Amino acid sequence: MTGGQIAGAATLPSAPPAMPLQDTVLLPERLGELTGLDGFGLGGELLATFLAAFIVGNLMLAMTGVAGPWAKRKITAAFTDRIAVNRLGPAGLFIILADSVRLLSKELVIPENADRPAYDLAPIVVASSALLGFAVIPMGSGIHLADPEVGLAYVFAVSGIASLGLVMAGYASSNKYSLLGGLRAVAQNIAYEIPLVITGMSIVIFAGTLQLGEIVSAQAKPLLTIAGISIPSWYALVNPFAFVLFLVANFAEVGRNPFDTPEAPTEIVAGYQTEYSSVYFVLIYLGEFLHIFLGGAIIATIFLGGPAGPGPAALGIVWFIIKIWAVFFATQWLRSAVPRVRIDQLIEIGWKGLLVLSFANLVLTAVIVGLIA
Amino acid sequence: MTSDSTLESPPTERADSIGAAELEALLGDAVLDRDDHENAPAIVIRPDAVQDVLATLRDEAGFDHCACVTAQEYPDRFETIYHLQSYADPTREVSVVVPTPTDEPRSESATPVFETANWHEREAYDLVGIEYEGHPDLRRILLPETWQGHPLSRDYDQEQPQVVTLSEHANPIAGDEHDTASDTMFLNIGPHHPSTHGVLHVKAVLDGETVVDVDPDIGYIHRCEEQMCQQSTYRHQIMPYPDRWDWVSSGLLNEWAYARAAEDLADIAVPDYAQVIRTMGAELSRLASHFIAVGTYALDIVGEFCAAFQYGIRDRELVLDALEELTGQRMMFNYFRLGGVAWDLPEPREEFIAGVRDILDSFPAKIDEYHDLLVTNEIFQRRCVDTGVLEPEAAKDYGCTGPVARGSGIDYDLRRDDPYGYYPHLEWDVVTEPDGDNFARLLVRLREIEESAKIVEQCLDLLAEWPEDERTLQSNVPRTLKPAADAELYRAVEGAKGELGIYIRADGTDTPARFKIRSPCFSNLSALPEIARGEYVADLIAAIGSLDCIMGEVDR
């Protein structure tokens, strides 16, 4: 087997035509090359792609696995003068193991009047829609599954599928709190998806492309050089206004404070996830964290230079993960400190505030870019 | 002590109350008789003239506060007592006694005059069995709908099993709550809900996110506290119970309610030194209670995992440590005794006093944190300002007291208006806020924390200087206390949540014949529909939080 692989690798031409920018070789191709799977035609390519997706998916799931049970506790505890988990393993890290056993071994309680296929599908939709988004994110160190020309549009599209999952969960649970939560979730996602996409478009105007790989490499150019230190033209620095807008819209999109009205536990118990228990609960929970990380990944990619950072390019993934975690950290910070807005205020902020501002930003960006060009 | 002394005026000096003769002139032929309660003149009136009498007393004599409604059964009659006071001066009191015959316990309802009588009369109907004509909604309030009999009536058989089958028991989610005509949704909030602060069940009718109507449903944690107190001796057995009414650190304040009532009833003097310790302990309790109120309110507005909540818990913890040092307990203090307190400050005194001072010194910086996180936060203001407004007139109508009333601009605080303990000798202010919204009620609590800290500080100064040979902890109280037969008294203290009153009727034995608890939370919570109607669901939750109800005290 090993011999066959090596032979296959040797006989085949090297990677497809190099694109001019970084991450020229996508992960499936590199894997195919390394393992020799690309010698097996379409089947081999599929297998290599599957392997690559498996790696990226697991990387993200591992991060949520750490973030959910452990990091979130530790971070909120630090904000609220507590210590949090510290008994199991160093800094309580083994709580991750204990938590996963606990969550998975709980009884799955399904309400009598639940609308079954929808009720069962909702958690899967919520969790998988976020995972799909990572397919086009360039994470540095060669970890990049695909780089379609409509990358940014694709990310917004798949992460928007989550709203469908939330509505399904909301109405299929046959619970009034779930229904209220589902309705709030839709209202919120519609109100904030538009500013999010519009603000994203202003970046597209800068970069001139929807392709995420190119957006990242466009940010590598130096913005200005002060005392020999070159500051890259990350779009967060080029257009901080758009960055803030996007950040706010993103918090609303992932439903975190001050925009966590859809599940507002003190008002509507847990919103759309009230009736979910055990594995389904874990899936929804995972989905939420994946969405936070996906939001972080999008922000890192289009505003913070993606995997760029000091040191060798091989460290790209490290920088990328640090940036994602910075966004995650910010969500927990807000959660500890910022009050939740009321649903009508939330909608008002979305439609009357963010939407107007994001269009202003778009027009202004277009004018400025047009003038410079 | 002796039966004679109970008839004398109680230790605290009462203001000039309206004379019974004057009342009779005012009320004309509605008055049947006079009675003499320890706290106030009492007039006995015709059961069909309740509304006229109460309305006259409210409008013409200024008795605008229906503090409490007590119902009880005598061998020959039922009796409802409306304890009327004035918000301007709570020492002006009058008790309106409405007797009804045993075979037909019916009297006119006071609800059209005082909205607060609504719940009180429902409770009287539920526990004692008096029926009120003209009551808008006379159903059981504490016990289940299917309960057989009225537990505080004389013919109630305690051995009778109360079998309530599941099918018999009204299922709140069964039936036709779908009002298809009006497009509203019926929603059960609680009794198990993250922000009902205990087992409160709010039946809400929603139009979208707007609250059309709410009906608080209470009684889930009714523990027969009144009956337990009626079966316990005055001297020692009742004192542990008040800790269990409002268990969120208000223990000493609750104990003081019983101590004050029983001491006034039996004419027991309390040494000054014990009064200072009581005052300090009670204010520490108030601090702890307000910290948790502010913290849980933050929980309702900000969301779970919020820093302000943890800060509330953190600061309450310090106060509880001090109370533990003092009383030996963190929750069920049982520290007051009739005629004083159980024991002196813990040794070494200097260390205890310095420790409490350290805690107090840390407060200003901490209160600034609450202001940063909550009061000055723009989103928080958007959530709380002008939502859940309780107008002062409505607050009086519902008998609201404590921070809820003071948040509506009603300058009413029994510590100042009906002085007891060592409060009259100390420098502090009554806090009021005029706006009556969710925000004002929070501000009142935050500012009261500062005032309570001031009081504790002054008590510490006094205790540190107190001559060693004058530290009398308890006055001489007989081992068995038997107040005179038919001595009746309603007496209240300013609890953490408002006016916590106790009505006791003695029958010459060592246990009370009737022990009625006037819980501030009970009256405050009854105003919830007034506050929440027309608001958003989120504001309903905020309103519940801002009322700061402890269900143990509501249900008793």
Side-chain angles (χ1 to χ4, degrees):
Chain A
M1 185 68 192
T2 337
Q5 275 175 358
I6 291 167
T11 51
L12 267 151
S14 59
M19 292 197 305
L21 305 162
Q22 69 178 79
D23 275 355
T24 46
V25 188
L26 299 172
L27 188 60
E29 290 154 19
R30 183 164 298 171
L31 273 179
E33 206 178 317
L34 279 175
T35 57
L37 279 172
D38 52 0
F40 294 93
L42 190 63
E45 264 178 53
L46 268 177
L47 194 58
T49 312
F50 182 77
L51 255 179
F54 180 80
I55 291 171
V56 171
N58 272 299
L59 179 68
M60 290 306 139
L61 286 174
M63 282 195 347
T64 51
V66 176
W70 185 78
K72 180 181 149 175
R73 287 186 198 183
K74 281 295 192 189
I75 294 171
T76 35
F79 277 119
T80 55
D81 275 7
R82 289 181 293 120
I83 298 168
V85 284
N86 64 348
R87 293 304 167 95
L88 291 177
L93 261 173
F94 294 163
I95 196 73
I96 298 169
L97 204 68
D99 259 345
S100 38
V101 172
R102 172 175 66 85
L103 285 166
L104 292 175
S105 58
K106 283 193 170 176
E107 185 189 355
L108 182 61
V109 182
I110 296 170
E112 204 173 306
N113 297 330
D115 189 357
R116 271 318 279 276
Y119 177 85
D120 297 316
L121 280 175
I124 299 166
V125 171
V126 172
S128 60
S129 70
L131 265 184
L132 283 175
F134 289 108
V136 297
I137 304 282
M139 303 185 192
S141 311
I143 302 178
H144 191 181
L145 282 180
D147 198 9
E149 284 182 14
V150 291
L152 193 58
Y154 167 84
V155 175
F156 287 136
V158 291
S159 68
I161 297 176
S163 312
L164 177 68
L166 302 188
V167 183
M168 282 160 67
Y171 94 87
S173 299
S174 166
N175 176 312
K176 288 167 180 174
Y177 289 113
S178 302
L179 186 66
L180 279 175
L183 291 177
R184 284 181 175 193
V186 195
Q188 171 167 344
N189 282 353
I190 293 172
Y192 285 84
E193 200 118 345
I194 300 172
L196 192 76
V197 174
I198 300 288
T199 315
M201 270 167 66
S202 74
I203 298 307
V204 175
I205 292 176
F206 275 123
T209 174
L210 282 166
Q211 202 165 4
L212 289 175
E214 297 215 17
I215 292 178
V216 167
S217 37
Q219 296 177 63
K221 284 175 284 185
L223 181 64
L224 65 160
T225 309
I226 301 166
I229 300 164
S230 161
I231 296 172
S233 61
W234 292 0
Y235 290 130
L237 304 173
V238 175
N239 190 351
F241 181 58
F243 178 60
V244 173
L245 272 183
F246 196 87
L247 209 57
V248 173
N250 179 64
F251 287 138
E253 186 65 20
V254 297
R256 291 293 114 167
N257 271 27
F259 306 111
D260 68 337
T261 32
E263 48 178 301
T266 47
E267 292 163 26
I268 51 172
V269 187
Y272 50 82
Q273 48 170 299
T274 306
E275 292 288 357
Y276 284 95
S277 53
S278 185
V279 180
Y280 283 170
F281 169 75
V282 175
L283 276 175
I284 289 196
Y285 204 74
L286 265 186
E288 277 184 20
F289 277 94
L290 282 172
H291 270 279
I292 298 177
F293 283 121
L294 180 62
I298 299 172
I299 288 169
T301 305
I302 68 176
F303 283 104
L304 300 175
L315 281 179
I317 182 72
V318 177
W319 288 113
F320 186 74
I321 287 177
I322 288 175
K323 287 169 190 173
I324 295 186
W325 277 87
V327 175
F328 177 76
F329 182 79
T331 62
Q332 298 306 319
W333 183 1
L334 288 172
R335 189 157 216 190
S336 306
V338 182
R340 174 191 305 135
V341 294
R342 209 169 54 205
I343 181 71
D344 61 311
Q345 294 167 345
L346 177 105
I347 301 299
E348 198 179 297
I349 295 169
W351 288 110
K352 292 188 188 164
L354 275 186
L355 188 68
V356 178
L357 288 176
S358 61
F359 270 111
N361 170 55
L362 182 70
V363 172
L364 226 71
T365 312
V367 169
I368 292 170
V369 170
L371 283 178
I372 293 171
Chain B
M1 312 205 208
T2 61
S3 53
D4 292 309
S5 62
T6 57
L7 296 173
E8 289 162 17
S9 64
T12 46
E13 202 170 311
R14 316 299 294 177
D16 284 344
S17 208
I18 187 164
E22 210 177 316
L23 283 175
E24 273 179 36
L26 190 66
L27 299 170
D29 63 351
V31 179
L32 297 173
D33 196 4
R34 282 187 207 176
D35 199 351
D36 198 21
H37 290 189
E38 301 299 309
N39 58 315
I43 47 166
V44 183
I45 63 162
R46 288 207 324 266
D48 60 347
V50 175
Q51 287 174 16
D52 286 346
V53 167
L54 293 185
T56 311
L57 286 173
R58 183 189 62 188
D59 299 333
E60 288 169 36
F63 291 105
D64 54 353
H65 179 30
C66 180
C68 182
V69 180
T70 306
Q72 54 188 330
E73 187 181 4
Y74 287 88
D76 59 337
R77 64 182 193 279
F78 281 94
E79 205 177 84
T80 309
I81 308 172
Y82 297 89
H83 302 275
L84 299 190
Q85 296 177 349
S86 141
Y87 270 105
D89 177 7
T91 58
R92 283 188 73 226
E93 294 181 68
V94 63
S95 301
V96 178
V97 181
V98 185
T100 44
T102 305
D103 52 346
E104 202 199 355
R106 281 173 166 275
S107 64
E108 201 178 34
S109 166
T111 309
V113 186
F114 290 107
E115 196 52 58
T116 182
N118 185 331
W119 277 27
H120 281 285
E121 284 176 351
R122 277 177 67 189
E123 185 188 316
Y125 161 73
D126 191 1
L127 299 183
V128 183
I130 302 175
E131 289 179 23
Y132 295 93
E133 280 169 357
H135 190 285
D137 185 22
L138 193 65
R139 51 197 166 97
R140 288 186 182 273
I141 188 166
L142 295 177
L143 303 177
E145 291 286 324
T146 49
W147 197 267
Q148 305 295 311
H150 303 278
L152 293 183
S153 61
R154 296 179 71 88
D155 61 353
Y156 181 73
D157 178 12
Q158 294 202 13
E159 305 297 316
Q160 169 199 3
Q162 295 281 347
V163 182
V164 180
T165 59
L166 196 63
S167 55
E168 252 180 277
H169 196 288
N171 176 2
I173 57 173
D176 56 346
E177 78 275 10
H178 294 290
D179 187 354
T180 44
S182 66
D183 279 350
T184 55
M185 177 169 94
F186 176 83
L187 183 70
N188 281 302
I189 299 175
H192 302 292
H193 185 279
S195 56
T196 49
H197 297 217
V199 280
L200 168 64
H201 174 200
V202 178
K203 296 175 186 166
V205 179
L206 305 182
D207 180 7
E209 287 268 352
T210 313
V211 177
V212 179
D213 198 12
V214 288
D215 177 19
D217 178 18
I218 63 172
Y220 288 88
I221 190 160
H222 177 57
R223 294 152 297 161
C224 324
E225 291 282 350
E226 290 177 2
Q227 177 138 23
M228 289 197 290
C229 291
Q230 281 167 211
Q231 291 168 349
S232 307
T233 58
Y234 292 101
R235 183 71 174 92
H236 290 297
Q237 291 180 345
I238 295 180
M239 195 56 91
Y241 287 124
D243 289 322
R244 286 147 178 88
W245 302 340
D246 172 1
W247 51 66
V248 183
S249 7
S250 311
L252 292 182
L253 293 156
N254 300 358
E255 287 176 21
W256 207 341
Y258 168 63
R260 189 177 185 208
E263 282 158 8
D264 284 3
L265 188 72
D267 204 12
I268 299 168
V270 182
D272 274 353
Y273 183 66
Q275 292 285 30
V276 177
I277 297 181
R278 280 185 175 188
T279 309
M280 179 190 69
E283 290 309 310
L284 284 174
S285 278
R286 191 184 313 275
L287 281 171
S289 175
H290 277 10
F291 274 128
I292 204 86
V294 170
T296 50
Y297 187 54
L299 202 63
D300 291 342
I301 301 278
V302 180
E304 81 288 19
F305 304 117
C306 74
F309 170 64
Q310 282 302 331
Y311 290 172
I313 295 283
R314 175 198 66 187
D315 299 343
R316 168 176 174 266
E317 200 63 19
L318 296 173
V319 180
L320 282 191
D321 287 345
L323 281 170
E324 187 184 3
E325 288 274 299
L326 179 66
T327 67
Q329 254 289 359
R330 293 171 66 82
M331 192 175 178
M332 306 300 174
F333 305 111
N334 192 15
Y335 177 62
F336 283 19
R337 298 286 180 270
L338 295 187
V341 292
W343 47 72
D344 202 351
L345 301 191
E347 291 295 338
R349 288 170 70 90
E350 292 71 28
E351 212 168 277
F352 172 77
I353 291 174
V356 180
R357 274 193 214 281
D358 284 346
I359 296 171
L360 296 178
D361 289 344
S362 71
F363 280 170
K366 287 173 172 169
I367 290 168
D368 281 348
E369 277 180 343
Y370 292 108
H371 279 272
D372 286 346
L373 278 169
L374 303 176
V375 176
T376 57
N377 185 304
E378 206 166 312
I379 299 177
F380 191 85
Q381 290 178 1
R382 280 187 64 142
R383 282 295 312 276
C384 298
V385 174
D386 285 339
T387 63
V389 177
L390 180 66
E391 298 295 341
E393 287 318 307
K396 288 181 179 177
D397 204 18
Y398 279 96
C400 295
T401 50
V404 176
R406 292 193 283 274
S408 290
I410 300 172
D411 193 8
Y412 180 78
D413 190 323
L414 291 176
R415 289 174 291 172
R416 180 201 60 196
D417 299 336
D418 182 10
Y420 58 96
Y422 216 74
Y423 291 112
H425 310 292
L426 305 174
E427 292 282 318
W428 57 283
D429 295 313
V430 176
V431 176
T432 57
E433 288 286 335
D435 297 331
D437 52 13
N438 289 338
F439 196 61
R441 291 189 276 275
L442 172 78
L443 281 185
V444 166
R445 293 201 178 90
L446 276 175
R447 288 175 54 201
E448 282 188 5
I449 288 175
E450 297 173 34
E451 295 300 325
S452 292
K454 262 163 55 183
I455 296 176
V456 176
E457 187 90 58
Q458 295 170 53
C459 290
L460 288 174
D461 291 342
L462 288 166
L463 291 173
E465 304 289 308
W466 210 273
E468 205 165 339
D469 49 351
E470 289 173 28
R471 293 179 189 161
T472 320
L473 288 168
Q474 289 182 29
S475 56
N476 204 2
V477 181
R479 185 175 280 269
T480 309
L481 206 59
K482 288 183 180 171
D486 281 336
E488 296 178 48
L489 171 105
Y490 172 79
R491 185 67 85 228
V493 298
E494 186 70 26
K497 277 78 181 175
E499 177 180 339
L500 177 59
I502 307 286
Y503 166 86
I504 300 177
R505 176 169 63 88
D507 58 359
T509 66
D510 60 351
T511 59
R514 179 79 172 99
F515 191 97
K516 159 82 184 168
I517 307 157
R518 188 267 187 210
S519 136
C521 296
F522 183 81
S523 298
N524 290 351
L525 182 63
S526 71
L528 181 66
E530 177 74 22
I531 298 175
R533 230 172 257 144
E535 303 275 355
Y536 286 96
V537 178
D539 294 335
L540 165 67
I541 299 300
I544 295 174
S546 75
L547 290 177
D548 185 25
C549 292
I550 302 301
M551 293 316 290
E553 198 181 51
V554 175
D555 294 348
R556 288 154 287 142

